[in-house]
Amino acid sequence: MARHILLCSWTGYVSVFLFLSAIMNSVSAVTHYSVPEEMDEGSVVANLATDLGLDVKSLSKRKMRVDVVGNKKYLDIKKDTGELFILERIDREFLCPLKTTSYCVLKLDATIENPIRMFNIEVEILDINDNAPHFRRGTMHLDISESSPIGERFSLNNAADPDVGTNSVKNYHLSSSEHFSIEIQTGRDGTKFADLILKKALDREQQAVHNLILTAVDGGVPTRTGTASIIVRVLDVNDNAPSFDKDKYVVDVMENSPIGSLVIKLNATDLDEGSNSDVVYSYSLYTSERTQNMFNLNPENGEIRVKEMINYEDLKFYEMEVIASDKGSNSLSGQCKLTIQVTDMNDNHPEISIKSFQSPVKENTPTDTVIAVISVSDKDSGDNGVVDLHIPHHMPFKLRESSDNYYQLVVSQPLDREKVPEYDITFTVTDRGSPPLSDNETMTLELLDVNDNVPQFPQSFYTIRVMENNAPGALLSSLTAFDPDLHENQYLVYFILEKEIANTSMSMLFSINPENGNLYALKTFDYEIEKEFLFHIEARDSGSPPLSSNVTVHIIIVDQNDNAPVIVSPWRAHGSVVEEKIPRSTDKGSLVAKVIALDTDSVHNSRITYQFLQVTDATLFSLDQYNGEIRTMRMFSYRDPRHQRLVVVAKDNGDPALSATVTIKLSTVETAVKAYSDMTEVPLEYDIFSDLNLYLVIGLGSVSFLLLITILVTIVLKCQKPKPSKAAPPSRNSVISERNSTVADSTLVSNDAYWYSLFLAETRKGKLVVRQPVPKGSRYIVSSIPRGTGLTETSDSAASTLQVQMVTYFTVV
């Protein structure tokens, strides 16, 4: 549409031009036309037939044709009308690429025949503004030193415009810039070009690149423009020294950091470029050699790393000065100060120093007594250097802070060596670092013994049973006391506390080893004489002053079954047979005889039982095993033998049992014997003896006399030994078991067939009581007291008893 408008605008111009050409043809043979470029195909340039004066109708016959000289056939003629028209779109810039002249002509030859004629035709192609200016390079690069002076010119590539005349480049415009402007120049050929002018000094460090837009404007209507980018790269000049981010750096580094650890990376920047901006780092002369040996500075990248092990306790901070230099021809440099503060690490264990320690100490040391003085320290700082001292809680000590980091160990509770002889006191010191470190030291505190403990027996009362007939010098027991003290305070000596019994000292009866407490018997004991002893033993230590304690010893003489039973009723001579008579008419259950045996041993061993050893007729008699009564089990018959033989054995309860036997020969008689059931108590002074009873009394007295003789002989033999005689009479103060004086009931059968119940007792008045029926003219003294009869008289003194020897004394009135 734009092209069509352009062609229409040229219509008036063509008509005027043709008019002028007609005038010129009168002078020249060349026919000249002017047409604008880019006309549409088929557009009529001119009526060539008319302009040449040719008959239009004859053009076909005369074979009129148009030939383009040296070019394509852009134009042709219509033979029916004689019009010259555009056969192909014409581009002036293509036809006339050279801009040496603005005149562009397309030459044509028009030929007709009959007659042949040739016409020279020139068609001038007129330029239209159909091309915008353009730069051969869309981007122009300029390197300008930042040191270039103001006003310096820099040539720019000019813009090209295929159009000519006013349609060519007429002006240039530069985008806004505070540093640059342009100045338009005109060449000899009329070409317009622009120079770039520096109007303000450049600073590469502020702006290294300037991007400009250059616009070329032609003179056509409407105007056309073309642009090109101008990239101005400011060339560096070493006009900037390296500079650090800060003038002074303060960094913290942990002590004991591994060698090679990065402390800081210094960064110095140089606004220059290239070698002018390459920075090299180094220590200044103000940096100490110790610091340089401790830290390594990388000259290329400014890294400072740990070179040697850092110890806070050696030095708490390091100062250095670092220089950064560029590599420019005229090297520039900058510097900074660096302070490296060493951060304390809890790497030092607390230390304990025992300034004074008193050991051993006495166990009676008073409380608040100072035992030790301890100092603690820690080379670290802050909480890492704050320390606390502790000891175990269960000990009778406490810590008391006396001054800064000095402590006293004092006694807080009473000490007792017997409970704890020594203390291993562990002093533990701990700092308050994270994690905390600690150290400990153990000291041994020994306690010296003080005689503060009395000897102690395991028991407060000892009962020692000693079998009678023991060997003199026999070990009875070991009465060992314990004293928890030490050394001389522990050495014990044993004593028997003196006590006399019947003018006999305990030391004559017993002996104790003063070193080990072994108790020995110095004599042979006889249960029948001495039954028990009661005395005290003392254990005394060797401390100063000595301490002692005593214990009660109860010696019990244990009876042995060493005495056989003695049959005292019915009386008989040794080896003889007791003969008795009994009425044949005796009823069933009647008492025939009563065997009485005595045993001087203890109650247990002296318990006697009776049994038949031999009996003529077992169906006729019975024997009570406990009281020795022989009774008839039935009436005598005429078939029963006249004489009955009974052998009775009396056994004690000892182990082994001892026994005695008696043989009773019974003869039955036909005469009746009157039995007396009543018992009359008569005094001994009555003259009631019969011949049979006299024999009985004489026999019992003989037995007693023999027993007394035996005892006296035994005493004499004992007295001949080197140790105290056993014959020493027992004291009334000694604890001697007493035997109840009552003995079993005794019934004697006389030759007169009288029944007698004989009882013997020692009364307070020294009288014997006989309870029996008294025939006229009888005179007897009988022995034996009925068991449990209660005949014993009482008074202010103790009830009378029989002595151990169980000797029965008979008094004949």
Side-chain angles (χ1 to χ4, degrees), residues 527-548:
Y527 173 83
E528 287 72 31
I529 298 176
E530 302 147 327
K531 292 181 172 55
E532 59 184 10
F533 301 92
L534 192 67
F535 56 92
H536 298 284
I537 290 178
E538 179 182 288
R540 183 184 306 160
D541 61 27
S542 303
S544 179
L547 301 177
S548 63

Side-chain angles (χ1 to χ4, degrees), residues 29 76 114 119 131 134 168 189 248 347 433 458-459 502 548 563 631 645 660 672 681 687 695 715 751 753 780:
D76 201 359
N114 297 321
F119 302 94
N131 291 282
H134 70 279
S168 64
D189 57 355
K248 187 173 183 179
D347 60 337
Q459 301 171 219
S548 63
N563 292 284
R631 295 181 180 272
R645 187 173 184 272
E681 182 176 303
D687 188 10
Y695 296 149
I715 291 173
N751 292 330
Y780 289 97

